[in-house]
Each structure stands twice: as structure tokens, then as C-alpha cells.
């Protein structure tokens, strides 16, 4: 919650947790944005592992040799974010609303579209793709190294 705000309302994380518990209770702490988070995570991970598996079975991956997990991991990491990124934007907005002012994901999406248009759902996509490509390339490369060491 504190990450998204430049001028934080809270001195530290504990103060933020206390404020959420006081205004929204236990459910506010653990369930705000849960719906859009699940709507993002489930298809995202399905895409992630399917794309990686399919790419690793191609002849191009075989030609890449030991760098194949880097390349295929980077591609699968980006592929999993593109279709769900608008959901992530809505999730972030839902999670960063003021206590007691919680609105539904549909209301947040509708308001975002009315205020800023379709492009608002893709704000920040480029840095997300850069981060995802590096993160997932390294993840699958390390995974491949560990699996090779274990076999």
C-alpha cells in the first residue's frame, strides 16, 4: 500500500496495518483486491508455464543449448503479463484506495476508462516487460541449473 504513494500517510508499515485494521478490520487487511489478484494470477501462471513448455520443445530452443531457459523464460515472462496487465492496474488501484472508500473492481475499471481511456490500462507496461524478461529469464535459468545438478 505504501509503495504506490510518494507522500505516505503512514510513518511505517505497522502504522499502516493498524490503520487498516481500525477502519476495515481483518478482512480489509487480507482481502482487499483479492478478486482481481486471483483474476490476474490464475490465467497468468497458466500462460507462463504453457508458453515456457511449448518454447522449450521447439527446435530453436534446442539450437540455443544452455541459454534456452534464459530466452524462453524471458519470452514466457512477458507473454504471461501482456493479457493480464489491465487487471493488474485495476488491482493496484483497488488496493490503494483509502480505507472505507473501497469500491468494486468493475467500478474502478469503469472510472479509469472514463477518466483516462483505454491507454490507462497499459500505463507502465514497458518497465513491467523489462523487469519480467530479466526476472523470468533468471528464474528458469536457475531452475534448469538446479534440475541438471539433481539429475
Amino acid at each position: 500500500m505504501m509503495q504506490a504513494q510518494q507522500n505516505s500517510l503512514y510513518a511505517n508499515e505497522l502504522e499502516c496495518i493498524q490503520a487498516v485494521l481500525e477502519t476495515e478490520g481483518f478482512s480489509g487487511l487480507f482481502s482487499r483486491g483479492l478478486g482481481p489478484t486471483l483474476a490476474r494470477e490464475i490465467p497468468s501462471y497458466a500462460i507462463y508455464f504453457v508458453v515456457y513448455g511449448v518454447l522449450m520443445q521447439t527446435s530453436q530452443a534446442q539450437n540455443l543449448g544452455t541459454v534456452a531457459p534464459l530466452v524462453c523464460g524471458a519470452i514466457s515472462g512477458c507473454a504471461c503479463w501482456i493479457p493480464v496487465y489491465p487487471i493488474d492496474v485495476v488491482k493496484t488501484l483497488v488496493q490503494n484506495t483509502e480505507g472505507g472508500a473501497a469500491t468494486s473492481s468493475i467500478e474502478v475499471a469503469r472510472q479509469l476508462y472514463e477518466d483516462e481511456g483505454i491507454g490507462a490500462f497499459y500505463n507502465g507496461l514497458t518497465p513491467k516487460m523489462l523487469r519480467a524478461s530479466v526476472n523470468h529469464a533468471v528464474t528458469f535459468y536457475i531452475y534448469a541449473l538446479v534440475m541438471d545438478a539433481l539429475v
Side-chain angles (χ1 to χ4, degrees), residues 7 11 15 18 21 36 43 47 69 87 92 109 116 128:
N7 299 321
E15 187 179 307
Q18 182 180 4
L21 288 172
I47 294 165
I87 299 169
T92 301
E116 301 179 42
K128 179 68 80 176

Side-chain angles (χ1 to χ4, degrees), residues 74-126:
I75 294 169
S76 65
C78 290
C80 78
W81 269 107
I82 293 171
V84 300
Y85 193 74
I87 299 169
D88 187 63
V89 170
V90 171
K91 174 208 64 84
T92 301
L93 292 172
V94 168
Q95 289 177 332
N96 288 320
T97 58
E98 273 301 310
T103 57
S104 76
S105 300
I106 299 297
E107 290 172 24
V108 169
R110 183 179 302 124
Q111 190 64 48
L112 183 62
Y113 179 75
E114 288 174 6
D115 292 348
E116 301 179 42
I118 195 73
F121 292 96
Y122 294 94
N123 285 341
L125 183 62
T126 300

Side-chain angles (χ1 to χ4, degrees), residues 8 15 40 42 44 48 70 91 96 101-102 130:
S8 178
E15 187 179 307
R40 178 196 70 190
I42 293 169
S44 179
Y48 181 54
L70 284 169
K91 174 208 64 84
N96 288 320
L130 293 171

Side-chain angles (χ1 to χ4, degrees), residues 11-26:
N12 56 48
E13 289 82 1
L14 292 176
E15 187 179 307
C16 178
I17 291 169
Q18 182 180 4
V20 171
L21 288 172
E22 288 173 2
T23 58
E24 300 176 55
F26 188 74

Side-chain angles (χ1 to χ4, degrees), residues 10-80:
Y10 311 105
N12 56 48
E13 289 82 1
L14 292 176
E15 187 179 307
C16 178
I17 291 169
Q18 182 180 4
V20 171
L21 288 172
E22 288 173 2
T23 58
E24 300 176 55
F26 188 74
S27 66
L29 192 60
F30 291 101
S31 65
R32 180 192 282 189
L34 181 61
T37 298
L38 293 173
R40 178 196 70 190
E41 292 296 306
I42 293 169
S44 179
Y45 278 110
I47 294 165
Y48 181 54
F49 289 111
V50 168
V51 169
Y52 181 78
V54 168
L55 289 174
M56 287 299 289
Q57 293 176 2
T58 64
S59 60
Q60 290 87 351
Q62 303 309 313
N63 293 338
L64 290 171
T66 59
V67 298
L70 284 169
V71 174
C72 296
I75 294 169
S76 65
C78 290
C80 78

